[in-house]
Amino acid sequence: HVQLVESGGGSVQAGGSLTLSCELTGGNIDNYYVGWFRQAPGKVREGVAAITASGSYTDYADTVEARFTISRDSASVTLQMNNLRPEDMATYYCAAALLATWRGPISLTPGKYAYWGRGTQVTVS
């Protein structure tokens, strides 16, 4: 069955950078839309960035536009995070949705993604 594993979280000072990676097992990642989401304590899970299966289209939350970049290759989906702010501190989750069952444009809505990783912590001080 499909499993997602995130890596690359850690602690960084404000203004620093981190790179998160998401790998998918039990399927071919090329066949999935992939999104990055985050959840801080006491807050709802929010979409950060998403990329289509082909990689042709991306979408970003307004709060991370121009600071975060999502990209993909045949092995993984990467979230490059630059100029990190204290408000970016959260647990970051990778999520995937099968291309064959996707409907509509690219989306940052968590409910559209069926598969989820366990998350990786990002701390910004």
Side-chain angles (χ1 to χ4, degrees), residues 18-52:
L18 282 174
T19 303
L20 304 184
S21 182
C22 173
E23 295 186 354
L24 183 150
T25 61
N28 185 345
I29 198 170
D30 290 344
N31 296 329
Y32 291 83
Y33 278 58
V34 176
W36 283 97
F37 297 81
R38 67 187 181 188
Q39 188 167 18
K43 295 190 176 181
V44 299
R45 188 168 297 188
E46 63 174 349
V48 174
I51 189 166
T52 57

Side-chain angles (χ1 to χ4, degrees), residues 100-111:
T101 57
W102 187 273
R103 295 294 180 267
I106 192 170
S107 172
L108 294 176
T109 302

Side-chain angles (χ1 to χ4, degrees), residues 74-100:
S74 60
S76 63
V77 173
T78 297
L79 184 68
Q80 176 65 43
M81 306 186 295
N82 297 327
N83 191 20
L84 283 160
R85 304 168 180 170
E87 54 263 39
D88 294 319
M89 185 163 62
T91 300
Y92 281 71
Y93 299 88
C94 173
L98 191 61
L99 168 64

Side-chain angles (χ1 to χ4, degrees), residues 102-125:
W102 187 273
R103 295 294 180 267
I106 192 170
S107 172
L108 294 176
T109 302
K112 297 206 70 171
Y113 295 82
Y115 305 99
W116 290 81
R118 293 188 175 184
T120 186
Q121 180 65 38
V122 171
T123 301
V124 184
S125 59

